[in-house]
Amino acid sequence: MINVSESEVPIITVDGPSGTGKGTICSYLTDWLQWNFLDSGALYRVLALAAKNRGINNDDEVALATLAENLNVEFRIAGAGSLVNVVLDDKVVTDDIRTEEAGNAASLVAPIIAVREALLSRQKAFHKAPGLVADGRDMGTVVFPQATLKIYLTASAEERAKRRLKQLMDKGISANLRDLSADIAERDERDSTRAASPLKPAEDAVIVDTSSLGIDAVVEKISDLVKKRIPEIK
Ligand code: DC
C-alpha cells in the first residue's frame, strides 16, 4: 500500500463521452488497484430518477438543486471487486438508472449550476486512501483538478453507438443503431456545449482514442500510463 498523507492520496480521473469504455476501464482500475470508485454519472442519473419519482420538472432549477442537496443515495458494495448497488431512498435502482432514458434525463439536469454545486462535496468525499478512480465528464477539469493522472477517453460516434447497441442487446434490451446514434449525438452535444463544467479534456489529460482498439489494448495502454505516473504501482 502507498503510504501518503490525506492530500497526497492519488486520484485517477477518467473522463469522456458515453460509449468510450470509461466504465470498463474504471472497473478494471478499481479492481487492480483496490482503490475507491466514484461513478459521478450515477449521481446525475439517480438525481434525474428521484426528480421523476417526485414529479419535478427538468426546468425547475430550485427544486432540483434542493433535491440534489438532500439526495438519499448510497453506493453499497454488491460483491467482488468494483460491483456496487445504487440505492435511492432505500430501494435498489442499479438497473433502473442504466437505461438510455435515464442517461438522457441525467444529461438534462446536469447543466444546472446549482445542481452541480450541490453534488460537488458528495463527489469530493470519495477521495479517501488508498486512492480514487473517478469516472465522469468533469472529473479532471472541475472536481479533482489536482488528480495524479487524468485520462480522457474518446472514440468515433459511430463506434460508440455500435458498442452501446451491443451492451443493450447483451442485456436483452432491444434498440436500433440509428436511434442510438441520434441519442448519443444529442447527449454529447448537450454535455459539451453547456456552460457549467462542459465535457472537455483537462489541459493536462492524456487523450486515448479507443475507436480502433480492443478493450485489452486500452487496458494495457492505461496500465502503462498508471505505472509510469505512479512508480509505487507495479
Ligand atoms: O456517464 P453517464 O453516462 O452515466 O452520465 C450520464 C449523464 O450525466 C451525462 O450525459 C452527463 C451527466 N454527467 C455530468 O454532467 N457530469 C459528470 N461528471 C458525469 C455525468
Side-chain angles (χ1 to χ4, degrees), residues 1 11 13 27 31 43 65 81 109 113 143 159 173 181 197 208 214:
M1 186 184 300
I11 304 172
T13 55
S27 69
D31 290 349
L43 280 177
V109 298
I113 293 176
V143 183
E159 182 57 32
I173 301 168
S181 300
S197 314
V208 178

Side-chain angles (χ1 to χ4, degrees), residues 13-16 22-23 26 37-48 71 73 75 84 86 97-98 106-107 109-110 115-116 119-120 122-124 126 132-140 143-144 187 194 197:
T13 55
V14 184
D15 288 304
K22 282 181 293 149
C26 285
F37 175 50
L38 165 62
D39 176 357
S40 61
L43 280 177
Y44 290 93
R45 287 170 183 259
V46 167
L47 174 66
L71 199 61
V73 61
F75 294 87
V84 290
V86 184
I97 62 162
R98 286 292 143 216
S107 166
V109 298
V115 161
R116 303 197 75 85
L119 294 181
L120 202 56
R122 242 177 237 266
Q123 295 175 77
K124 288 185 192 283
F126 280 76
L132 173 67
V133 176
D135 170 331
R137 302 290 186 291
D138 62 343
M139 298 295 98
V143 183
F144 301 111
R187 180 135 73 99
R194 68 182 179 217
S197 314

Side-chain angles (χ1 to χ4, degrees), residues 152-167:
Y152 187 89
L153 292 184
T154 171
S156 71
E158 192 193 356
E159 182 57 32
R160 290 189 287 125
K162 278 192 202 152
R163 288 178 193 168
R164 190 71 190 122
L165 182 65
K166 184 171 180 311
Q167 269 177 0

Side-chain angles (χ1 to χ4, degrees), residues 62-222:
V62 175
L64 286 168
T66 307
L67 185 58
E69 260 160 38
N70 301 300
L71 199 61
N72 180 16
V73 61
E74 222 190 301
F75 294 87
R76 279 188 203 151
I77 306 289
S82 57
L83 284 180
V84 290
N85 262 332
V86 184
V87 181
L88 168 66
D89 297 328
D90 267 330
K91 184 175 170 264
V92 174
V93 294
T94 318
D95 292 336
D96 305 304
I97 62 162
R98 286 292 143 216
T99 63
E100 290 306 294
E101 191 198 347
N104 280 325
S107 166
L108 285 168
V109 298
I112 302 168
I113 293 176
V115 161
R116 303 197 75 85
E117 277 170 2
L119 294 181
L120 202 56
S121 56
R122 242 177 237 266
Q123 295 175 77
K124 288 185 192 283
F126 280 76
H127 184 202
K128 286 196 202 123
L132 173 67
V133 176
D135 170 331
R137 302 290 186 291
D138 62 343
M139 298 295 98
T141 50
V142 174
V143 183
F144 301 111
Q146 78 278 31
T148 324
L149 172 63
K150 299 178 186 179
I151 296 163
Y152 187 89
L153 292 184
T154 171
S156 71
E158 192 193 356
E159 182 57 32
R160 290 189 287 125
K162 278 192 202 152
R163 288 178 193 168
R164 190 71 190 122
L165 182 65
K166 184 171 180 311
Q167 269 177 0
L168 290 172
M169 286 173 69
D170 287 349
K171 283 191 199 158
I173 301 168
S174 65
N176 75 67
L177 195 59
R178 215 183 54 188
D179 290 352
L180 266 182
S181 300
D183 280 356
I184 286 178
E186 194 183 319
R187 180 135 73 99
D188 286 354
E189 168 77 7
R190 198 164 42 228
D191 292 348
S192 358
T193 56
R194 68 182 179 217
S197 314
L199 166 66
K200 65 170 183 195
E203 274 176 18
D204 50 349
V206 181
I207 298 180
V208 178
D209 188 334
T210 70
S211 306
S212 58
L213 295 176
I215 194 64
D216 289 349
V218 181
V219 162
E220 197 182 325
K221 209 175 179 126
I222 288 176

